Amino acid sequence: NLPKKRLRILLSLIIFIQLSESVFIMNSGQGLQFQDKDIKPGTLLMSEPFMKDPNFLRKVVMMVKHDEEGSLGFVLNQLSDWTVHDLIEDFPLSSYPIYVGGPVSQNTLHYLHQLEELSESAMPITEGLFWGGDFDQLKAMVEAGEVDQNKIRFFIGYSGWSANQLLDELKEQSWLISQRNPVKVLRYEDHEMWKALVTELGKPFNFWAIAPIDPGWN
């Protein structure tokens, strides 16, 4: 009916004004201006709310590598329907879920973890957080029941950028950056992670967290 239609138009207008304010503040230098030095292992990227690439729509990416050759990270909040045992037959029978780390090389398996026992063969990301490590040793630890599911996350594929590509996307306001402790962020519920991190940045970005996926909603 007419009142509902008017309400939807009003809400759409409010959303447009708020999002326009966010973009203006960022572009005018009053907001968050990101540079190359802001990206390091453990840095979190949050996609802008209307990103057209479905691989990154309202996704959070943890960076594990960023240098002159390019950048690499893993999407933290895209759970798949598989477990590690589903995809790797000789992996001990278990229920460790697999996340989709990104659209690149989805025939590869990666893992982020807090297992000090694997630290010598793994790449440190931040204090107490590692990438990879001796897979045979990991399987033996799983078989022995020594790996807490909350201290490891498995991924198929990864998110990759060529040299300077990510910086160009930052200039285009495609991503927001958070330096929140990634170990704590891994405890967030998948469906709340993006919204929580965007909200933590405060105004004007907290409005992004409640904006509809389709800005033309009516």
Side-chain angles (χ1 to χ4, degrees):
N1 55 42
L2 187 59
K4 284 186 177 181
K5 185 175 181 180
R6 286 178 176 173
L7 177 60
R8 289 173 177 172
I9 293 174
L10 178 60
L11 288 174
S12 295
L13 180 61
I14 292 172
I15 290 169
F16 175 78
I17 292 172
Q18 291 287 346
L19 292 175
S20 297
E21 177 188 7
S22 300
V23 172
F24 172 77
I25 289 176
M26 292 180 73
N27 290 337
S28 66
Q30 301 175 44
L32 303 177
Q33 298 296 306
F34 302 120
Q35 302 175 23
D36 184 71
K37 63 182 178 62
D38 296 318
I39 307 173
K40 56 190 177 183
T43 295
L44 301 168
L45 305 181
M46 294 87 73
S47 63
E48 59 94 356
F50 311 120
M51 184 170 285
K52 298 186 183 301
D53 186 340
N55 293 300
F56 299 111
L57 179 61
R58 307 220 171 177
K59 296 297 186 290
V60 177
V61 180
M62 181 189 297
M63 303 306 299
V64 297
K65 176 181 177 289
H66 177 71
D67 55 31
E68 64 279 358
E69 297 179 354
S71 308
L72 189 151
F74 299 104
V75 175
L76 298 182
N77 57 333
Q78 182 63 57
L79 182 64
S80 78
D81 295 327
W82 303 300
T83 67
V84 180
H85 183 72
D86 290 334
L87 302 185
I88 302 179
E89 290 185 1
D90 67 346
F91 194 83
L93 183 60
S94 56
S95 59
Y96 296 96
I98 283 185
Y99 285 74
V100 179
V104 184
S105 298
Q106 292 192 345
N107 61 338
T108 60
L109 181 73
H110 307 266
Y111 40 100
L112 297 171
H113 59 87
Q114 303 166 57
L115 306 174
E116 293 288 345
E117 297 89 340
L118 294 180
S119 61
E120 291 188 6
S121 58
M123 179 178 291
I125 302 303
T126 59
E127 184 176 356
L129 184 64
F130 306 93
W131 171 26
D134 188 315
F135 193 58
D136 288 332
Q137 182 182 358
L138 173 60
K139 288 193 294 183
M141 292 173 63
V142 171
E143 186 72 51
E146 299 172 352
V147 180
D148 185 336
Q149 186 167 303
N150 294 319
K151 292 193 174 184
I152 191 166
R153 183 163 297 192
F154 293 91
F155 305 89
I156 52 170
Y158 62 88
S159 304
W161 293 262
S162 58
N164 298 318
Q165 181 185 358
L166 181 54
L167 293 178
D168 290 341
E169 292 183 12
L170 287 170
K171 291 176 183 177
E172 295 168 356
Q173 316 294 356
S174 296
W175 301 94
L176 296 175
I177 285 180
S178 172
Q179 302 297 353
R180 191 87 161 84
N181 185 332
V183 173
K184 292 183 178 179
V185 171
L186 285 168
R187 300 174 190 153
Y188 289 10
E189 294 290 336
D190 297 334
H191 66 283
E192 290 290 337
M193 185 181 292
W194 179 87
K195 180 178 180 180
L197 288 170
V198 171
T199 302
E200 287 174 7
L201 294 177
K203 290 187 65 176
F205 307 104
N206 53 8
F207 194 81
W208 286 25
I210 61 173
I213 290 179
D214 181 1
W217 174 80
N218 54 53

